[in-house]
């Protein structure tokens, strides 16, 4: 297949691009040239050096690549999604949009964005979504801040709502690996809540799920949760992690009765997904990357 990866040189995107190329696909990455990943030499690069933000327009070269699938790693809001659809409708077989678990109502319950009872049970792809949009707008410093208009719910609605361009949505967990969350801050700072659970995923495994979603014919017009098969508690994770001096976060007002746990059976059963790196090996590689 011929696959275009928008944002294909970042933390997760570089692994996606590399795995696609190693599987024999023709890969082109479109990016701003600010992050240069080490990728197989056969991967093509299209750089938009003039861009100061997320891509809202695309040069003609992206269409000349004639991609069978387009993976959009960095669609953050409705405008990003519309720009991709308007560009690639009629020019590619499918658009894959990378989303997040912050779309779920359970996340809004956890953060206090939407008061209410705890959402019980693992989150399935059809679990309730939050009704309050723009979850991080209060943290934006200005209208131009990318957090101001950020909302993956609107990205999902836009790409899945276009009848002329088939789409796939993958909802990512908290990702760790070399280059991001390598010190497992997202575990250590919550060690005073030992029974809380938050689905994580090692970066190479998350990338493998995105690759599968972009190349499997059964993924069209579907939503998939991505993450570990079983989500340990904070206490259980700490058993396999080195000790840390990171302080706990006692300033937040989160509701730790609300777990953020994905049910990832759908991508496993429907597409045959399984982790390419075992849990403990992913931790070892991540810790080792810190030197």
């Amino acid at each position: 297949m011929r696959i275009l990866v928008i944002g294909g040189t970042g933390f997760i995107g570089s692994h996606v691009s590399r795995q696609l190329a190693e599987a024999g696909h023709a890969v082109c990455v479109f990016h701003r040239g600010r992050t240069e990943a080490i990728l197989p030499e056969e991967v093509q690069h299209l750089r938009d050096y003039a861009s100061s933000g997320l891509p809202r327009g695309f040069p003609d070269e992206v269409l000349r690549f004639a991609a069978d699938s387009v993976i959009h790693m960095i669609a953050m809001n409705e405008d990003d999604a519309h720009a991709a659809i308007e560009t690639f409708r009629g020019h590619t077989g499918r658009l894959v949009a990378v989303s997040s678990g912050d779309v779920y109502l359970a996340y809004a319950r956890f953060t206090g964005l939407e008061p209410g009872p705890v959402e019980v049970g693992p989150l399935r792809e059809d679990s309730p979504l939050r009704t309050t949009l723009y979850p991080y707008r209060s943290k934006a410093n200005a209208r131009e801040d990318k957090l101001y208009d950020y909302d993956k719910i609107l990205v999902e609605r836009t790409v899945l709502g276009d009848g002329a361009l088939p789409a796939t949505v993958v909802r990512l967990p908290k990702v760790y690996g070399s280059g991001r969350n390598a010190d497992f801050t997202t575990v250590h700072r919550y060690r005073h809540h030992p029974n809380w659970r938050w689905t994580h995923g090692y970066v190479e495994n998350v990338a493998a799920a995105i690759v599968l979603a972009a190349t499997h014919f059964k993924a069209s017009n579907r939503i998939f949760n991505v993450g570990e098969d079983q989500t340990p508690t904070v206490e259980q994770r700490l058993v396999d992690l080195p000790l840390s001096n990171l302080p706990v976060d006692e300033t937040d007002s989160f509701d730790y009765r609300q777990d953020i746990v994905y049910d990832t059976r759908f991508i496993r059963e429907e597409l045959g997904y399984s982790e390419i790196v075992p849990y403990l090996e992913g931790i070892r590689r991540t810790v080792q990357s810190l030197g």
Side-chain angles (χ1 to χ4, degrees):
M1 294 181 68
R2 299 178 62 80
I3 301 179
L4 174 71
V5 187
I6 302 171
T9 61
F11 172 54
I12 304 172
S14 60
H15 288 281
V16 171
S17 302
R18 188 176 302 111
Q19 290 180 21
L20 284 166
E22 290 174 349
H25 300 288
V27 182
C28 179
V29 294
F30 177 70
H31 59 106
R32 293 177 294 171
R34 299 183 181 182
T35 303
E36 296 289 351
I38 300 175
L39 298 175
E41 61 180 13
E42 62 267 26
V43 173
Q44 298 182 44
H45 289 255
L46 292 176
R47 297 174 177 86
D48 184 11
Y49 292 111
S51 176
S52 60
L54 299 174
R56 298 286 173 81
F58 297 89
D60 293 340
E61 287 84 350
V62 300
L63 296 183
R64 285 200 285 270
F65 179 71
D68 299 304
S69 288
V70 175
I71 303 174
H72 203 326
M73 300 294 304
I74 52 175
M76 299 299 174
N77 55 47
E78 188 173 17
D79 288 342
D80 295 341
H82 273 302
I85 287 174
E86 292 302 317
T87 300
F88 296 107
R89 184 192 296 120
H91 295 281
T92 191
R94 185 148 50 93
L95 176 63
V96 179
V98 173
S99 187
S100 166
D102 67 15
V103 299
Y104 287 115
L105 176 60
Y107 181 81
R109 294 278 198 259
F110 172 69
T111 61
L113 186 65
E114 294 186 30
V118 167
E119 291 287 300
V120 179
L123 300 168
R124 296 169 51 89
E125 286 81 358
D126 58 356
S127 291
L129 305 185
R130 54 180 163 79
T131 58
T132 302
L133 297 179
Y134 311 114
Y136 309 119
R137 180 168 282 184
S138 63
K139 299 180 180 179
N141 296 319
R143 177 65 180 80
E144 296 74 24
D145 191 319
K146 65 181 181 180
L147 293 178
Y148 190 86
D149 285 331
Y150 169 95
D151 203 310
K152 292 289 190 176
I153 286 180
L154 298 180
V155 172
E156 292 187 8
R157 287 179 185 173
T158 302
V159 300
L160 292 172
D162 188 86
L165 177 58
T168 300
V169 167
V170 286
R171 292 174 178 161
L172 303 194
K174 176 53 65 176
V175 184
Y176 62 90
S178 175
R180 188 172 301 175
N181 195 25
D183 59 358
F184 292 95
T185 299
T186 54
V187 179
H188 288 296
R189 69 179 178 182
Y190 301 122
R191 60 182 178 268
H192 55 317
H193 296 285
N195 295 319
W196 187 56
R197 296 194 297 158
W198 184 11
T199 298
H200 281 52
Y202 177 58
V203 62
E204 293 183 45
N205 292 331
V206 170
I210 296 171
V211 167
L212 186 60
T215 57
H216 201 298
F217 72 96
K218 293 179 69 175
S220 186
N221 297 316
R222 302 288 186 90
I223 299 172
F224 297 99
N225 283 341
V226 174
E228 53 209 355
D229 185 27
Q230 300 294 326
T231 298
T233 65
V234 169
E235 183 176 48
Q236 290 168 335
R237 287 194 194 279
L238 290 172
V239 171
D240 299 312
L241 298 179
L243 296 177
S244 173
N245 292 324
L246 290 170
V248 299
D249 187 351
E250 296 180 332
T251 63
D252 65 63
S253 57
F254 299 152
D255 186 351
Y256 290 93
R257 297 174 303 165
Q258 178 66 68
D259 291 328
I260 309 297
V261 174
Y262 294 1
D263 182 336
T264 62
R265 286 178 297 175
F266 188 49
I267 192 170
R268 297 171 189 277
E269 295 172 356
E270 191 74 0
L271 305 187
Y273 170 76
S274 62
E275 284 77 1
I276 61 173
V277 179
Y279 177 69
L280 291 179
E281 175 62 14
I283 290 175
R284 187 195 68 79
R285 294 183 188 181
T286 301
V287 172
Q288 188 179 47
S289 72
L290 293 175

